[in-house]
Amino acid sequence: MDMIRDATAPSSNLPDHLPQALREVLEAHGCVADALYTKLGIKITEAGAERVTGTMPVEGNTQPYSMLHGGASLAFAETLASIGAIIHAGPSRLALGAEVSATHHKSTRSGLVHGEAVALHRGLTSVTYDVTVRDAKQRRMSSVRVTCAIRQR
């Protein structure tokens, strides 16, 4: 599975915005609709083993100062990387988060943030993604590195 785009018929289990092929992979892995990415309002716009992109609203994901919460940024980045890792792993293997590290450069108070996870390493037992989170003006908000372990089901 190289690249997954375009949502088609909605699945009864996962959000309608997810591309149909991605919903099928996630459902095959037993993923559920009531996951953190749904609560954070994350939308996946492109998904493949090499690159995953998406958006997340700032509203509802803020800390007490009404700025985007760093933990929300981390969850967003890990979600994007994990989707790439799941696609890379395929139906016979699992992708499990192993390490996340981040630097938050700035924050924002409104709009959508945009994320892009790009594969740095895709091996048999691990994958690593470089994730950039940007604001609506394309300013870098966070730089995140995510590694997932790949295991047999």
Side-chain angles (χ1 to χ4, degrees), residues 18-112:
L18 293 176
Q20 179 65 26
L22 177 58
R23 281 196 303 271
E24 290 170 6
V25 170
L26 294 176
E27 285 175 343
H29 280 270
C31 297
V32 297
D34 190 26
L36 183 60
Y37 64 84
T38 301
K39 293 175 177 151
L40 295 175
I42 294 170
K43 303 270 188 217
I44 303 303
T45 54
E46 181 181 313
E50 282 292 328
R51 181 175 181 263
V52 179
T53 63
T55 62
M56 182 181 71
V58 173
E59 185 177 351
N61 294 317
T62 60
Q63 37 92 315
Y65 297 114
S66 299
M67 293 186 288
L68 180 63
H69 195 291
S73 294
L74 282 172
F76 179 38
E78 187 170 1
T79 297
L80 297 176
S82 293
I83 287 171
I86 288 168
I87 293 168
H88 170 72
S92 66
R93 300 183 298 165
L94 297 174
L96 307 166
E99 183 178 11
V100 178
S101 64
T103 300
H104 300 298
H105 308 289
K106 62 187 320 152
S107 192
T108 186
R109 295 177 184 270
S110 63
L112 289 175

Side-chain angles (χ1 to χ4, degrees), residues 9-23:
S11 166
S12 60
N13 185 29
L14 296 168
D16 294 348
H17 78 274
L18 293 176
Q20 179 65 26
L22 177 58
R23 281 196 303 271

